[in-house]
Amino acid sequence: MAIEEKYISYRMYLVAFVIFLMAIAIAVKLTNIQWVEGEYYRSLAKERTVRNFVIPANKGNIYSSDGSLLATSIPNYEIRFDALAPKAEVFEKNVAALSDSLASVLGKPSGYFQNELRRARATNNRYYLISRDLSYTQYIQIKNFPLFKLGAYKGGIIVEQKTVREHPIGKIAERTIGYERKIGEGTYDGKGIEWAYRDYLNGKDGKILKQKIAKGQWKPIRDVNEVDPQDGYDVISTIDVYIQDIAHHALLKQLQEYEADHGCVVVMETKTGAVRAISNLGRATDGTYYETTNYAVAESHEPGSTFKLVDLMALLEDKIADTSSVYDSKGGEIRYSGKAVRDSHKGGYGKISLARGFELSSNTVMVQAVYEGYKDNPSRFVNHVNSYGLNKKLNMDFKGEGRPYIPQPSSKRWSNISLPWMAFGYGVSVTPMQTLAYYNAVANNGVMVKPHFVSEIKEWNKTIKKVETEVINPKICSQETILKLKEVLKNVVKKGTGSKLYTKEFSMAGKTGTAQVNYSKDGGAGKYYASSFVGFFPVDQPKYSCIVVVHKPSTVNNNYYGADVAGPVFKRIAQKIFTDVPSTNEIKNINKKIEKQENSYNKYFAMLQKQQVRIPNVKGMPGMDAIALLENLGLKVKAKGLGKVKTQSLQAGQDIIKNTAITLELM
């Protein structure tokens, strides 16, 4: 008996000891939680009950020079269905009516929706897709449909919203307008104006502290750390939709006619360097053309005969030759280090002046003049090329500008044929935009200006930044040389390689170019042509300069030359600008509306305006949604505060007058 009592005592002591150890462990843990890890657990508890929420800033719009909306942000909605949220009797009571309503908006039969909704419920689908890419108007409609109007917990409606970037008047200059996209967590990239001016367009997100008060519900806490969002600024581009429309369709027509691989056209204002139109079109596998690459800015290639203006400018500046100097075309072929330089005209042109050789684009004449003048000192010629800025990038705002290449006599790549080959545009590489900037300098009496695509950054009617004309070179050559160059460029169109383009109705000056590309690969099997025309108009007082480049035109009819392929695009642009506004002294009328563009714009917003022909009631609507809706209806919106709309300065039901200001008070 004593032994049993003693055994029981041992067990009691053991249990007591274990309890004591547990008490010590609990005390240590509590002390550790309170004093050592206390800050972590307090912050964790606060994070789960109080959290900072981002208030996204509204992205700025991009406008054309004449006020047309080129890019804007609108809310985009996706509706899904939690099939297990509604009770069985509620679901059965409303499913037929809901299906009828969805059919009226989404264009599918009522029976389709009823079958899909029942299948979703039978398979316990809690995230069934109803529709995506919905406008705000459609979202409001669907939100008030039978069953869905009961809300997320009783009706099962799930709404996901995102903001999408749209181009209201179509995809004009799409690659130049560009984009910004997310490619990874916190990583973005993009192209064009959207990317280059993202710091202005995107604005700055705000933040607000909210406290969790129920499942999925958070209440704003107003404190000193609250930051209001700063909306993005608007960017006013230099693009003129009138000229853009002309340039785009003129280029498209030629690409289709010649079944070309790709091409570009740029129209630039001579004095300022403002790009009024730019189109870059590449051919898809189905034969259609669309903008994939900004060829005008990014594609560096051998220019061919358009480079001969460099020859003539250098020769005249150094007084090595004059426009009247006579050269023998040698039967249309000359050789340097065993390599032949040939004229496109078989048999050559006999003995002709340097000016006439330029007008007829004689390779033999231009190469002879350059080689004879600079063979003993090629650096003198190359230094001219460098001084014209053709050896370096224009350093434009856009990412991906093509890198030029001008061989230098001091480099290992220089050879005996480098100089003569440069003279007719081979062995060098420049972008179309560089070539245009150079020709524009001749049109602008020697002043080389940097091409630019944005004229102004604005916040409402307040100018934040004005983009001024940037002069690259105040005097590219003497005025005497400029006058001679203008004359021969005019004669290229009047009686030279561009004579097919000549008309008495308006004056043009420019140079044709036809370059062989990939001529050294595959033994010439991969060779194709790049046809170009670059110049300015009108000749006496140039208003615009323009370049057209078409790559890989069809050679079936042997008319792949610059005058045949690229020249008509140039002429069409000049002709439309001249003849469409005959009663004014200005070359163009920027107030002229383009019916096609107006129809495109109206069609885009027809859905929004169909049910919102008057000012809508936006009270209670989230601020970002209200602003997007009202701006897309043509109103100028100013918001005060954060959250949902409390009041609006213009009452619902009034007629909409575009550009009228409306103030929203948010809370």
Side-chain angles (χ1 to χ4, degrees), residues 115-167:
N115 290 337
E116 288 295 306
L117 294 172
R118 290 188 182 280
R119 182 181 294 112
R121 190 169 178 86
T123 57
N124 298 329
N125 191 336
R126 308 203 66 172
Y127 201 57
Y128 172 72
L129 176 65
I130 299 293
S131 186
R132 55 166 54 100
D133 296 330
L134 298 172
S135 68
Y136 176 79
T137 305
Q138 291 173 310
Y139 154 64
I140 291 297
Q141 282 183 284
I142 294 175
K143 181 182 176 182
N144 290 293
F145 283 169
L147 187 60
F148 284 171
K149 65 183 178 182
L150 300 178
Y153 300 112
K154 294 182 180 181
I157 185 172
I158 301 171
V159 180
E160 296 182 1
Q161 178 189 332
K162 63 179 180 180
T163 301
V164 296
R165 202 70 168 160
E166 294 289 351
H167 298 166

Side-chain angles (χ1 to χ4, degrees), residues 255 258-263 283 289 515 517-518 525-531 549-555 560 565:
L255 292 176
Y258 284 88
E259 299 178 345
D261 182 73
H262 65 274
R283 191 182 190 191
Y289 291 90
V517 184
N518 289 342
K527 179 182 71 175
Y528 70 85
Y529 294 94
S531 305
V549 183
V550 176
H551 280 260
K552 207 172 182 178
S554 172
T555 59
Y560 48 81
V565 181

Side-chain angles (χ1 to χ4, degrees), residues 68-96:
S68 299
L69 188 60
L70 299 180
T72 189
S73 296
I74 64 169
N76 184 276
Y77 296 87
E78 181 175 292
I79 305 293
R80 292 182 178 268
F81 177 52
D82 180 355
L84 297 185
K87 293 181 179 180
E89 59 271 21
V90 175
F91 177 82
E92 290 298 334
K93 180 181 178 181
N94 290 281
V95 66

Side-chain angles (χ1 to χ4, degrees), residues 439-459:
Y439 272 75
N440 188 79
V442 175
N444 197 24
N445 290 320
V447 182
M448 179 177 276
V449 295
K450 182 177 177 179
H452 63 276
F453 295 86
V454 168
S455 62
E456 197 174 2
I457 311 294
K458 298 189 75 173
E459 180 184 24

